[in-house]
Amino acid sequence: MGCQEELLIEKVCEIYDKLSRLENLNPSKQVNSLFTQLVQTCMSQCHIEITKLNERVQAIRCKLIKLCGKAEGLLEIHFATLIGSHDKPLNHIKIFPYYSNYLKLSQVEFSMLNKICSRVPKHIAFVGSGPLPLTSIILATNHLRTTCFHNFDIDPSANAKAIQLVSSDSELSKRMFFHTADIMNVSSSLKQYEVVFLAALVGMDREEKVRVIKHLADHIAPGTLLLMRSANGARAFLYPVIDPCDLQGFEVLSVFHPSDDVINSVIIARKHSQG
């Protein structure tokens, strides 16, 4: 491992140490500053193979991903509440600090889907949509203007905030549906979706992620596309990694790894036609 990689890992571990000592991860000047430093550090183009990290760093990475997930959830709750307090919430959605990142990522995902899909999907499921379902909103508004989006989240309060955001838009609210459920308890209804999005933070470690993917493989219709967000290189300190070998029952069709300020990698796979 080169000097640059070692310095990056040292910096990440140092930031983790500071984050782990905080009383809470609610948005604040200190929390925001530390996560900004972390994201900027992990955007480095230096090549890091996560599987080759030593046990101590692997353990820190697992804990850091959970901290990132918790902080991201709290950030979304904060901004969903703030945006939802307006009469026309969607007019204020750009105040979310990572809005431009979602715009770029949604454009990437739409372009990838567009090359694979022979027709515009009528029904898309988004698993792990959260209180601020930006991907569904951006895709429905900018790219897939006739598609219905079914957003699944385990947290009823997250769905309540999300509904508040879209309910004032009469056109969009006709195409946005919200289901409060653990996706592991959803089975036969999954067959109606032509595309299923799996959010990066659904399945916080490899074992849990594999369980979710296997459940989807068992219940979505043959030929359905599964779009998953993953991470590559140093970005894997922020999000779980999906290994194509974990996609049993699927054919991998397309993989995207970012080289700009987009954080997530994207993998699209199709469920085998033989079921």
Side-chain angles (χ1 to χ4, degrees):
M1 188 178 290
C3 182
Q4 191 182 1
E5 288 84 355
E6 287 178 3
L7 286 171
L8 186 148
I9 291 166
E10 188 181 319
K11 179 70 174 172
V12 167
C13 292
E14 180 187 307
I15 296 170
Y16 164 74
D17 188 57
K18 290 177 182 176
L19 285 168
S20 65
R21 293 172 190 271
L22 294 177
E23 201 170 296
N24 64 66
L25 295 172
N26 289 316
S28 67
K29 192 172 180 181
Q30 187 180 22
V31 170
N32 297 349
S33 172
L34 284 170
F35 276 106
T36 299
Q37 288 177 52
L38 179 64
V39 170
Q40 288 172 348
T41 301
C42 292
M43 300 292 258
S44 165
Q45 291 305 309
C46 74
H47 185 66
I48 287 182
E49 290 190 49
I50 291 296
T51 55
K52 293 185 178 177
L53 298 174
N54 64 46
E55 282 185 25
R56 183 185 73 87
V57 178
Q58 290 279 16
I60 286 173
R61 174 182 169 257
C62 291
K63 292 174 190 171
L64 185 55
I65 287 172
K66 287 176 182 171
L67 283 182
C68 288
K70 187 172 183 182
E72 188 172 316
L74 291 168
L75 186 72
E76 288 191 8
I77 289 167
H78 173 79
F79 278 95
T81 304
L82 187 62
I83 295 164
S85 67
H86 294 278
D87 289 339
K88 293 188 179 294
L90 296 183
N91 291 348
H92 303 271
I93 208 158
K94 292 178 185 177
I95 68 170
F96 184 65
Y98 296 105
Y99 179 75
S100 63
N101 193 287
Y102 274 90
L103 271 182
K104 289 178 185 177
L105 183 58
S106 297
Q107 177 65 60
V108 165
E109 291 170 336
F110 171 71
S111 298
M112 290 172 76
L113 282 174
N114 206 31
K115 288 174 184 172
I116 295 167
C117 293
S118 56
R119 58 187 174 82
V120 176
K122 292 181 180 177
H123 298 280
I124 288 178
F126 195 103
V127 180
S129 48
L132 193 60
L134 281 173
T135 300
S136 292
I137 291 169
I138 292 168
L139 287 173
T141 305
N142 297 355
H143 303 294
L144 297 165
R145 297 186 177 95
T146 59
T147 303
C148 290
F149 288 78
H150 291 256
N151 300 283
F152 289 84
D153 202 280
I154 201 167
D155 183 357
S157 65
N159 277 337
K161 288 187 182 299
I163 290 166
Q164 192 175 352
L165 295 179
V166 302
S167 59
S168 65
D169 187 314
S170 58
E171 195 285 321
L172 188 61
S173 59
K174 289 175 188 169
R175 296 189 291 117
M176 293 280 271
F177 304 92
F178 295 89
H179 309 276
T180 300
D182 180 341
I183 202 64
M184 299 298 285
N185 297 328
V186 181
S187 52
S188 57
S189 63
L190 289 171
K191 286 194 166 33
Q192 67 183 292
Y193 306 115
E194 296 126 288
V195 181
V196 176
F197 277 69
L198 184 62
L201 294 173
V202 174
M204 294 295 283
D205 57 40
R206 183 177 179 179
E207 292 73 22
E208 192 181 348
K209 185 83 75 176
V210 168
R211 277 198 300 274
V212 175
I213 290 169
K214 183 182 184 306
H215 176 78
L216 292 172
D218 288 342
H219 295 288
I220 62 177
T224 297
L225 296 178
L226 178 61
L227 188 151
M228 298 151 283
R229 289 175 179 171
S230 182
N232 185 53
R235 288 166 169 83
F237 281 109
L238 305 172
Y239 289 103
V241 173
I242 295 172
D243 190 320
C245 73
D246 292 331
L247 298 174
Q248 299 299 315
F250 290 93
E251 175 194 3
V252 176
L253 302 177
S254 186
V255 178
F256 164 81
H257 294 307
S259 57
D260 55 8
D261 58 349
V262 171
I263 297 170
N264 290 113
S265 296
V266 180
I267 300 170
I268 299 182
R270 179 182 282 126
K271 181 178 172 181
H272 290 315
S273 57
Q274 64 264 37

